[in-house]
Amino acid sequence: MTEERTCKVCGKAFLPNKYRPNQEICSSLECQYQRQLDNMKTWRGRNPNYFKYKENQDSSWKETCRQRSLDWRKEHQEYLKLYREEHRGRHRDYMRKYMRDYRKKRSMLQAGAGEKSTGV
Ligand SMILES: [Zn+2]
């Protein structure tokens, strides 16, 4: 026979569920809700960062979002800057190479023209 127990939350006597002989809290909604909260607290205690953001969905949550997007933008800007610098460098190299080739071709043409002009 199941023994009457005292609810840990409300302090009232209750009969534990026969499928859950270790039940420590009565089946009233309030106490069950309280039990869930306690479970959450215990769980949060074990996972302290899980609700860090969601918990404060007020200004601090927005602040977190803002800070995150700022961080992202900063990183992105840095990336863009690097990209531009690299691109500019590449463009400069390309132009340098292009001009070198152009001058080489031109001097070769001139040399060829000079050879031709001297005649045989
Ligand atoms: Zn209770």
Side-chain angles (χ1 to χ4, degrees):
M1 197 58 197
T2 44
E3 270 177 55
E4 210 171 65
R5 282 170 182 245
T6 310
C7 172
K8 271 196 170 182
V9 178
C10 64
K12 282 179 194 163
F14 73 99
L15 284 172
N17 190 307
K18 61 179 170 182
Y19 301 111
R20 286 189 296 157
N22 295 322
Q23 192 180 349
E24 289 175 316
I25 286 146
C26 76
S27 52
S28 85
L29 278 178
E30 270 178 42
C31 294
Q32 289 301 314
Y33 180 67
Q34 190 57 51
R35 187 181 62 102
Q36 276 178 11
L37 283 184
D38 286 350
N39 282 353
M40 282 265 266
K41 264 184 215 161
T42 318
W43 190 84
R44 281 188 204 186
R46 267 184 262 138
N47 306 271
N49 293 318
Y50 196 84
F51 285 103
K52 211 175 174 182
Y53 299 125
K54 278 193 176 177
E55 215 167 49
N56 311 309
Q57 281 192 326
D58 46 29
S59 56
S60 64
W61 166 243
K62 278 176 196 156
E63 180 59 35
T64 309
C65 284
R66 205 177 67 88
Q67 194 53 50
R68 264 194 200 165
S69 76
L70 276 178
D71 284 351
W72 183 87
R73 216 182 294 173
K74 211 173 115 192
E75 270 173 42
H76 200 72
Q77 265 173 1
E78 221 124 282
Y79 170 77
L80 272 177
K81 212 175 110 188
L82 279 174
Y83 175 81
R84 263 192 238 118
E85 265 165 26
E86 196 192 333
H87 194 75
R88 203 185 295 148
R90 217 182 281 162
H91 183 71
R92 204 167 47 211
D93 285 350
Y94 172 80
M95 283 310 285
R96 202 179 286 154
K97 195 170 171 287
Y98 176 84
M99 286 310 288
R100 197 169 52 213
D101 284 357
Y102 173 76
R103 278 195 217 103
K104 205 158 86 185
K105 267 180 206 161
R106 202 177 57 177
S107 65
M108 270 167 76
L109 275 171
Q110 278 176 344
E115 262 170 43
K116 261 178 201 166
S117 72
T118 46
V120 185

